[in-house]
Amino acid sequence: ELGAGLTEMGLLGDLMKSPDVPAAEKQQYLSQLTDTARLLVTSLDEIVWAVNPSYDSVASLASYYILFAQRFLDLANVACRPQIPPDFPEYPLEPKGRHGLFLAFKEALNNVVRHSAATEVRLKIEVVGRELIILVADNGHGFDSAAATAGGEGLRGMRRRLENLGGSSDIRSRPGAGTEVDLRLPLGKPET
């Protein structure tokens, strides 16, 4: 993703330098260049977070997810209502699991913004037994989760990601009643 974005930025820069490109098009390319740079900064931040060993606990995951959700949803004028316990048990998380779970979490938020017309998202993060549970619940228009159209590529991708990590994803929705996405990841032994 970073490589493709940098390549795109290079091509846009070349187009902006070309004397054959009209000024109006150059302005459009400049806007695209700025947007691509912002996306790359966000992607780099996500990668650094995913591989940094100082963030390998459930507590740091919860803090990062809440901060990310608040920023992401704020841009779409959707209120974020986080619910987390005062503290989490000390379970370690491997970078691969953190990153895969984050991609599924990000897809759930993206679906809220793109498809739900929600004004509010309730974000609940907790550990029950030896399982990390993340609930993303919106107050949007919902959909018929039993219908074939409910199995879009994003929803299948979330399920696959979690299954590859030994976890699960459950999507519950009804027309007019919002949508709940439940992401679950098994945890290893707690640190002592």
Side-chain angles (χ1 to χ4, degrees):
E1 185 179 334
L2 289 175
L6 291 171
T7 300
E8 180 183 348
M9 289 176 70
L11 292 172
L12 290 168
D14 289 343
L15 287 168
M16 289 172 50
K17 288 192 290 186
S18 172
D20 299 331
V21 176
E25 278 186 49
K26 287 183 179 185
Q27 191 61 38
Q28 183 182 6
Y29 294 142
L30 180 60
S31 178
Q32 281 181 270
L33 184 66
T34 303
D35 291 344
T36 302
R38 284 189 186 118
L39 287 173
L40 289 177
V41 168
T42 301
S43 294
L44 187 58
D45 181 52
E46 293 167 11
I47 291 167
V48 169
W49 175 82
V51 298
N52 189 332
S54 64
Y55 301 127
D56 68 351
S57 70
V58 173
S60 68
L61 176 139
S63 295
Y64 185 80
Y65 280 27
I66 289 169
L67 180 63
F68 178 87
Q70 288 172 328
R71 288 179 181 166
F72 184 81
L73 295 171
D74 188 50
L75 292 172
N77 293 318
V78 177
C80 181
R81 308 283 185 241
Q83 297 175 303
I84 60 169
D87 53 4
F88 286 97
E90 289 297 320
Y91 283 100
L93 294 169
E94 293 184 14
K96 180 182 175 186
R98 280 188 290 141
H99 187 64
L101 182 61
F102 179 72
L103 293 175
F105 173 70
K106 192 163 83 167
E107 179 66 30
L109 293 176
N110 190 48
N111 287 341
V112 169
V113 170
R114 290 181 59 209
H115 305 297
S116 76
T119 59
E120 183 176 293
V121 168
R122 184 170 47 95
L123 173 57
K124 185 175 183 181
I125 303 173
E126 63 184 340
V127 173
V128 177
R130 288 174 65 174
E131 188 173 50
L132 174 61
I133 302 170
I134 300 172
L135 176 71
V136 178
D138 69 58
N139 67 347
H141 55 68
F143 61 92
D144 181 359
S145 58
T149 57
E153 187 54 39
L155 299 179
R156 282 193 297 271
M158 276 193 292
R159 284 190 180 107
R160 262 194 316 270
R161 254 191 197 94
L162 271 292
E163 287 170 3
N164 288 342
L165 297 170
S168 64
S169 168
D170 185 34
I171 294 105
R172 297 175 296 277
S173 188
R174 290 189 341 257
T179 301
E180 291 185 349
V181 176
D182 191 41
L183 306 172
R184 294 173 178 257
L185 184 68
L187 298 169
K189 295 180 180 178
E191 292 182 345
T192 53

